Structures are given as structure tokens and as C-alpha cells.
Amino acid sequence: RLVGMEKSINFSSDNTAGVASKILDAVIDAANISSMPYGDDPYTLKLQILANEVFEREVFIYPVATGSAANALALASVSPPYGIVFCHSQSHIEEDECAAPEFYMGGGKLSLLEGEKAKISASNLQGKLNNQSPAPLVHRAQPAVVSITQATELGTVYTIDEILAISEVCKQNNLPLHIDGARLANAIVALGTTVADCTWRAGVDILSLGATKNGAFAAEAVVFFDANKAADFEFRRKRGGHLFSKYRFLSSQLVPYLESNYWLDLAKNSNHRAKELARGLEKIQSITLSAEVETNMIFLQMPTSFVNFLKQENCLFYSWGEKEGMTSARFVTSFNTTEEEVDRFLNIIEKANSN
């Protein structure tokens, strides 16, 4: 064990958390068997059956190792090289994926929309689609797909009605709707709904299903609700370097993840701990929460003097700039964040406030 790491409180990201016990056990089991490669294994076969049950219909699920690969491959599967992906300016595919979607699309482009709480709306999407150049069609990149993030990069959540409204615009314009669901489990828990109701029943065509941020080692998946849109995905996955030979080590993470609502139970803990942490932070007069906490992410303004104090106490988090003595910061709770960690952190930040 690395010295000191066990004493840190790490709210930098849910990517910093460990691995959930049932997922760890499944990977160990997979390591103790021999199996055919490239997805011809019992875990991958079971995952397909399980996914049909979880989504309450036939789906087509393809595990990959990273969220960037899931998003990029999903979008490339429905966009030509001259296509446009419509997304929010604060979306992960815009800010944090090093132009991977454009690369996998072979030259496509992202068209950025604004909207409160890092969410696009049906009206601003339709407005963007209506605002086309008068130049002849051949001179313009062509609308190809719409992508929304659930939960968003600010931890906010699209309601089912909001998704339905966006999907209606998509249908009217013959555009598929994609969800980047890196934190989908947190959003489902916040909405109190089912994965079917907030995806395909709401008009979603393709889903990037995340698990890494919610208890897995490194496991994501692309889920298609329409076989036609998945027609050449397997070739794109292979060409993009995401057809693993020992594929069972991806699928063996996702099977226990989805079984018996384990993924939602993990997300319930991270959401609950974020609410506890937010309630404690709100009691400190010098701290201002930037938005209501809907999932497992807290954005706030705190005195810059707190930053070094917290880091000296081995409390880790991300901060974005300082202005007039106040620092913008983000705290993210995880599937294995404990009540004791939240209490310990609140005690430390109260000490910072009293200094």
C-alpha cells in the first residue's frame, strides 16, 4: 500500500475511486478460466441477454474500454465524414476528448449549442438547425446526429420530458439521438425512473453506457436500440483498436454491474453522499454552492485561503481559477464514499473557515 494514500480524502473525481467488490470478484473469476477470444465467451454472451432484460427490449451492446472510445465510435457509426454532431459547448465530447469524435468520424465537426445547466433544449436545437447558410447544399457540412450528456458535466440531469422534446426535433429532422451516459446511473437514480424510460422510450437511438466512474476497472459500452444503426459498428470497433482479444475482461465487469440493479445501488451511494456533503457545506457562510446538487457533483465558490489548507490536510479536489479572493471548485463523491469521509472532510473545512 502506498504510504499516505489511505489517509487522503479524494473528491477530485469519481474516476479516482476503486473497484466495487462484485465487479472485482467477477474479474478474478474470469482470470481463472480459459475462454475463446474476441467476445466468443460466456460473459459476453450473458451480457447480451442481461442487457435485453435491463433495457426491457432487444438491444445491441458492445463493450469498449474507455468513454472516449464509446462516444467516438457511437457517433462515427451514424455520421459521414462531412457530418455535424450537435452538442452542448460544455459537453465531454467537446472539452475533454481531444477531438476523438472528429477523428473517428474521419473529419466530421461538432456544432456547439448553449443552454443553462449545461443542457441543450429542443428550441435552441431547432433554432440551430433552422439557421443554415444560404449557400448551396454541397458547400455545407450536413447535420448528422445530436448528442446529449446524462448527467451533464455540471452534474445536472435531463428530465424525461426534456429528452422527449429533443428527440422529437431529431425525428423531424431525421437525426439520431445519442446519449453520453458516463454517469447515467447517477441520473437514473436522481430521476427515480428506469433506464428504458429515459433512453429508448424517450426517443434515444444510441447510448454510451458508462461504468468506470461507478465502480468498474475500465468498462464502457455502446448500446444501439436500432440494428440498422449498428450495421458496421463491429468493423469500426476493430479498426479503432477496441476489439479486445481477452474480451471477457470487459464483459465480466458489466455483467455484475447490471445484475440485480447493482449499478443503481452504487450510484445511490454517491448521490446520497453528495447531498450530505452539500448540506454541510451550505452551513459555512463563506461558501456558496453554484447550483443545486442533482447527482454526485458539487460546484462551489470558496475562499482561496481554504485551498492550501485543504491540500495540506490531504483533501484532493479540482479548482478552476481564482477571482477576488474566491476560488471555484468541484467536489465529486463516488460509489464507495463513506459517511465518515464526508464528516471528516466537513470537520477539516470548518477548521479552515475558523482560521
Side-chain angles (χ1 to χ4, degrees), residues 86 120 146-150 158 163 166 177-181 204:
F86 297 95
I120 69 171
V146 175
S147 179
I148 62 175
T149 308
Q150 181 75 314
Y158 284 91
I163 299 172
I166 292 168
L177 177 58
H178 164 260
I179 282 185
D180 173 358
V204 176

Side-chain angles (χ1 to χ4, degrees), residues 19-41:
V19 177
S21 58
K22 291 181 181 179
I23 295 173
L24 178 60
D25 290 343
V27 172
I28 292 172
D29 289 343
N32 288 321
I33 66 167
S34 62
S35 186
M36 295 302 289
Y38 304 113
D40 189 17
D41 63 84

Side-chain angles (χ1 to χ4, degrees), residues 174-186:
N174 196 30
L175 299 174
L177 177 58
H178 164 260
I179 282 185
D180 173 358
R183 294 186 176 95
L184 181 65
N186 301 94

